[in-house]
Amino acid sequence: MKPFLNIFLLFASVLCFGQNISNKEMSTETSGVNKKMSKQAIQNNFNVASIVVYQENAEAKIKDLYSYFQLLSGNESEAFKNQVMESIKSLFGNTAVMMDNMVLDADTTITLDAFLQLLKSSKHHIQLLEIEKKAVQENSFVFSYTVLVNSQKKNIQQQVFFYPVQKQFGNKTKEVWEYTLGPLKM
């Protein structure tokens, strides 16, 4: 009975965490997500079983991203594509994020906004093939994965930041942990 209660509480706590972050809370540098995070590192706040669950949720964020990429490059309406773009932006929390441009063969970086416009206006096919969990860092999870971009395999590395944010619930303030995707690096 006690293991069931622990699993239920863990599952309930996962559902309580938010997904979005405002642009004010997110700096343009991914290395400086939040200065106070060193005191609130993932390993200092959660046990191993909880960290595994949060890492799986971080992996799900990456899978969501690639599902959105497929929708964005499909034959959907302009209004639908605009909604998809907003969903993608909410995963990153900051549209000024610089990332490697995986649709070009040359080593170029591009802003998230420019990359989304490129996908929206063209028919690039991007498919997530496999994800490997690399590491749990102080305030992020690192993933390495393979994608298929226009019939060409590319290896990507990406951080998913996991950090505490103070949220206001009526008259009470509570600390909740949120996910934000970092830039894609080839």
Side-chain angles (χ1 to χ4, degrees):
M1 181 70 166
K2 191 171 183 174
F4 175 76
L5 181 61
N6 288 339
I7 292 171
F8 175 77
L9 291 174
L10 180 64
F11 181 75
S13 67
V14 168
L15 294 176
C16 294
F17 291 115
Q19 296 179 25
N20 298 331
I21 181 169
S22 71
N23 285 340
K24 290 180 183 178
E25 293 169 339
M26 184 75 181
S27 76
T28 57
E29 295 293 324
T30 58
S31 62
V33 173
N34 195 339
K35 298 251 184 213
K36 72 178 184 176
M37 288 179 12
S38 60
K39 296 178 208 167
Q40 298 177 335
I42 295 169
Q43 292 89 347
N44 294 342
N45 287 281
F46 302 102
N47 63 32
V48 175
S50 296
I51 291 171
V52 168
V53 171
Y54 294 129
Q55 190 175 28
E56 288 172 359
N57 288 337
E59 182 179 327
K61 298 293 179 201
I62 292 173
K63 289 177 180 177
D64 290 347
L65 175 65
Y66 283 89
S67 294
Y68 287 138
F69 283 168
Q70 288 181 341
L71 290 172
L72 191 59
S73 60
N75 292 327
E76 307 297 333
S77 70
E78 188 73 17
F80 180 78
K81 286 184 176 187
N82 289 336
Q83 288 177 336
V84 170
M85 286 177 64
E86 290 305 313
S87 296
I88 293 170
K89 291 175 186 179
S90 72
L91 289 173
F92 284 89
N94 181 0
T95 57
V97 166
M98 295 298 293
M99 54 192 261
D100 291 344
N101 188 346
M102 72 174 80
V103 297
L104 296 179
D105 290 332
D107 290 334
T108 59
T109 58
I110 190 170
T111 64
L112 176 62
D113 270 339
F115 184 72
L116 295 178
Q117 288 298 330
L118 177 66
L119 287 182
K120 181 179 170 185
S121 64
S122 64
K123 298 293 181 207
H124 294 289
H125 179 72
I126 301 175
Q127 179 183 358
L128 180 63
L129 296 178
E130 57 184 273
I131 296 180
E132 177 186 335
K133 298 173 181 105
K134 284 293 231 181
V136 177
Q137 294 185 338
E138 186 174 345
N139 300 306
S140 65
F141 303 105
V142 179
F143 295 92
S144 179
Y145 53 89
T146 306
V147 294
L148 191 62
V149 181
N150 301 327
S151 304
Q152 190 175 37
K153 285 187 177 181
K154 300 202 178 189
N155 295 317
I156 307 289
Q157 186 163 345
Q158 186 172 18
Q159 282 182 287
V160 179
F161 295 97
F162 187 56
Y163 53 92
V165 174
Q166 296 294 320
K167 291 279 188 164
Q168 189 76 27
F169 299 99
N171 294 333
K172 297 185 182 198
T173 301
K174 183 175 179 170
E175 181 178 271
V176 296
W177 288 67
E178 295 186 347
Y179 298 95
T180 301
L181 296 181
L184 300 118
K185 297 184 183 205
M186 290 193 296

